[in-house]
Amino acid sequence: EADIYQTPRYLVIGTGKKITLECSQTMGHDKMYWYQQDPGMELHLIHYSYGVNSTEKGDLSSESTVSRIRTEHFPLTLESARPSHTSQYLCASSLGVSETQYFGPGTRLLVL
Amino acid sequence: AQTVTQSQPEMSVQEAETVTLSCTYDTSESDYYLFWYKQPPSRQMILVIRQEAYKQQNATENRFSVNFQKAAKSFSLKISDSQLGDAAMYFCAYRSAGAGNMLTFGGGTRLMVKP
């Protein structure tokens, strides 16, 4: 089982609040990813990182931002949450280009 | 751009029986990887099985096996001796072997297991 953690698991917050979703992995993986998934739907990549100080936007446009200051940590921030941000956010990591991605348990976000 | 299609939104199987989930993909590349992930109600994505496109032999993991047809761009998942714990959403995913390591997911198939 992969050692990748996400906090909080569930978050209910009001419109306009700033939030940060945490993702950490203890496997020494260099690559990390954030996916957004609406209920019963496929996952869409919103951000990824190939290593420290490297961040890129994914296929799905997102108002969120990410940072990668440490290898093991890849937080996602929403400066001003809106109801349209309500979704599940899944973090993943992998080692190298050819390796499998392992997923965290996800954060379910509800913005009122 | 690659696309992944899962044509069965829902499937059901009797406990101990066998079920096959379909997946097709579209790509112009010759070297790539294919995956099946399972997402139970807990919502965590769990890797079930992985197939390298350059390998002709179908991957197998215990009760899970795939039927990889490269020419037809088909990658189905067979679950044998289905168990109640197999009930989940199953996602097929594609990844190019080139730089990037980006996963493209299908829309998912919800598998129900009847006791």
Side-chain angles (χ1 to χ4, degrees), chain A residues 9 31 33 35 37 39-43 45 48 50 88 90 94 96-101 103-105 108, chain B residues 33 35 37 39 41-45 47 50 89 91 95 97-107 110:
Chain A
R9 293 293 309 278
K31 294 178 174 53
Y33 315 82
Y35 292 87
Q37 182 188 30
M41 305 294 285
E42 66 259 49
L43 283 73
L45 182 69
Y48 61 98
Y50 286 158
Q88 172 162 256
L90 288 158
S94 67
V97 174
S98 62
E99 291 304 313
T100 300
Q101 289 185 26
F103 284 79
R108 286 198 225 181
Chain B
Y33 299 86
F35 305 84
Y37 281 90
Q39 189 178 41
S42 66
R43 298 289 188 100
Q44 182 154 9
M45 295 285 281
L47 177 69
R50 154 185 161 143
M89 283 288 288
F91 290 93
R95 193 190 80 213
N101 199 21
M102 302 307 144
L103 283 173
T104 301
F105 285 88
R110 182 175 302 282

Side-chain angles (χ1 to χ4, degrees), chain A residues 2 13 18-19 23 25 34 47 50 58-59 81 89 95:
Chain A
I13 202 162
K18 177 180 179 179
I19 59 172
C23 176
Q25 49 92 10
W34 275 103
H47 297 284
Y50 286 158
D59 299 329
Y89 294 84
L95 181 64

Side-chain angles (χ1 to χ4, degrees), chain B residues 26-86:
Chain B
D26 187 25
T27 184
S28 58
E29 299 174 334
S30 59
D31 197 11
Y32 49 87
Y33 299 86
L34 295 164
F35 305 84
W36 278 98
Y37 281 90
K38 169 185 176 181
Q39 189 178 41
S42 66
R43 298 289 188 100
Q44 182 154 9
M45 295 285 281
I46 302 165
L47 177 69
V48 174
I49 202 164
R50 154 185 161 143
Q51 174 83 41
E52 290 89 349
Y54 63 85
K55 290 186 177 178
Q56 292 187 332
Q57 188 173 8
N58 289 325
T60 300
E61 286 289 342
N62 300 315
R63 296 182 296 108
F64 299 87
S65 61
V66 297
N67 183 6
F68 173 48
Q69 301 288 330
K70 191 171 184 179
K73 297 179 183 175
S74 170
F75 183 60
S76 60
L77 174 70
K78 185 172 84 171
I79 307 174
S80 303
D81 186 25
S82 297
Q83 300 174 0
L84 294 177
D86 294 334

